[in-house]
Amino acid sequence: SAQQTKVLQHGAHRVGKRTDAEMATWRGYGLGQFIHWGVYSLFGGELNGNYYNGAAEWIRSWKDMPHGVYDSAYKQFNPASFNATQWAKMAKQMGVRYVTFTTKHHDGFCLWPSKYTDYTIANSPYKKDIVKQVVDAYSKEGIDVYLYFSVMDWHNPDWRYDLKTKEDSAAFERFKLFTKNQLTELLQQYPQTKGLWFDGTWDNSWKKSGAFTDTLEQYLKTLHPGLIIGSRFRADEFGNRHVDANGVLMGDYEQGWERKIPKTYADVHGNDWDCVMTIPENGWGYQKKWLGHWKSTNEILEMTAQCVSLGGNFVLNFGPRADGTFRPEEVTIAKEAGDWMKINSAAIYNCEYTGWEKQDWGYYTKKTGENKVYMIVFNVPVSGSLKIKPAKNTLVDKAYLLTAPGKNLSLEKLDYGASFIHVSSTGYKQPFVIVLETKEGS
Ligand code: FHN
């Protein structure tokens, strides 16, 4: 059927994935860390003994929160126990390969000494540049750094949700320049930055600025070749976000997978993508009380495996306390996930979608550029028989536990191109990995 294609000036400028080395690195990360830290961490979702039931980093917008109280709280932001090197070492031990750090969340407070506003870390009792410490410490550990930046800014008087009057437009012109200046400043001050992670870009004011957002994205990429920017940044000239009026992704990867994971490969439309996830049900900044379910390490590992099996990365959020320390639950998860990754990361790093039919025991991943498929096994059936059914023209040559190379597992052939691998049916506390060496053939 004939497809209606609109001629767009500010739609996608590329169809399909980026093919450069920077993006290949991004694609291979597998596991990442997100950190939400700022003035909201001082409250931890609480004010005078009452708990806000929204996400803790949104507490400024709670009806019970006087703006004056929130907006002067930075005068108490003095993270005596903050040690960026310790943060980076914890992340390294966990096995994450990139971090996304909040330079400025919706409240507008800047964790770097921006010269375009006074509402920054430089004017807190702490004074020192936090973004620089994070960028330096993580880069030193070999973890790539991405800067989270909220365009929506509750502190800047020129921010507008919509442009309804001339006055709105004039204010928003100033706001756009402010945004461009801050982004330029970040890239110039922290040249190790690999990408920008945008947020707070959903309001009409921004959606009506398609030409500006497009030009700004191109400018940032010229300033910083290789820079990675997801689909949350800009809008086309019709105000479409993520995908343009022709349904083509705008941005280097799909950024819509927040607290949700695609179920099938068809859901990702051939795009690069990552999933950002909270440990509690919702809430990114520090929350004194985690209400409801919070995820176990095995659930987190399963989400990681699921994302990688569908060609994406999994990014787990941490919300440090205002003093710069992590709550014990997060420390434990980082440690346990890291212990698992130490043994099994071969099945997570530089892996991609296999195209093999999913089976109930877990997830397949494939080492990019190699004839190696991993089975990350979460659910062993009571029979102990794990079914595998390779994609067309693929045969399994050998199977062995990742922890016992050289000790081949026997493959029982079934008559429809499938096989069984028989394992013990009980006794597992954690997922395990079986390596399949494959070759062409049928
Ligand atoms: O409103 C924010 C929220 O506080 C948090 O930063 C998340 C992280 O992906 N992004 C926004 C909601 O989409």
Side-chain angles (χ1 to χ4, degrees), residues 8 39 113 136 146 193 212 221 259 263 274 284 326 372 378:
L8 295 172
V39 166
D136 287 349
Y146 292 72
T193 301
F212 170 78
K221 288 190 165 184
R259 294 192 297 120
K263 293 225 159 42
D274 71 2
W284 303 79
F326 288 92
K372 236 179 219 172
F378 285 85

Side-chain angles (χ1 to χ4, degrees), residues 169-217:
S169 300
F172 207 63
E173 282 310 308
R174 293 191 295 272
F175 186 80
K176 290 192 296 195
L177 180 61
F178 165 73
T179 300
K180 178 179 177 185
N181 283 338
Q182 284 207 320
L183 293 171
T184 305
E185 187 179 46
L186 284 171
L187 291 180
Q188 284 175 343
Q189 289 190 21
Y190 315 107
Q192 306 101 307
T193 301
K194 303 290 181 202
L196 298 170
W197 203 101
F198 287 103
D199 211 355
T201 49
W202 48 72
D203 288 300
N204 281 337
S205 51
W206 194 251
K207 292 201 292 189
K208 287 175 180 172
S209 308
F212 170 78
T213 62
D214 185 17
T215 311
L216 179 54
E217 186 179 274

Side-chain angles (χ1 to χ4, degrees), residues 34 36 57-58 105-106 148 197 199 202 232 258 276 284:
F34 209 154
H36 277 70
E57 73 284 358
W58 275 76
H105 203 262
H106 308 332
Y148 169 106
W197 203 101
D199 211 355
W202 48 72
R232 281 193 190 204
E258 175 174 315
V276 293
W284 303 79

Side-chain angles (χ1 to χ4, degrees), residues 5 12 26 32 58-59 63 72 87 115 121 170 172 186 203 226 238 248 263 277 313 318 328 347 356 363 386 389 435:
T5 305
W26 186 94
W58 275 76
I59 197 166
K63 61 170 182 20
S72 52
W87 284 22
K115 66 178 184 209
I121 195 67
F172 207 63
L186 284 171
D203 288 300
F238 295 101
V248 184
K263 293 225 159 42
M277 187 61 76
N313 293 321
F318 289 73
W356 294 24
Y363 306 90
L386 309 178
K389 192 166 181 292
V435 185

Side-chain angles (χ1 to χ4, degrees), residues 8 52 54 64 75 88 93 100 115 135 213 221 232 257 267 278 287 289 345:
L8 295 172
Y52 173 49
D64 292 2
K75 293 179 188 154
Q93 191 281 334
T100 302
K115 66 178 184 209
V135 172
T213 62
K221 288 190 165 184
R232 281 193 190 204
W257 299 100
D267 295 338
T278 51
Q287 245 163 312
K289 272 198 206 164
S345 66

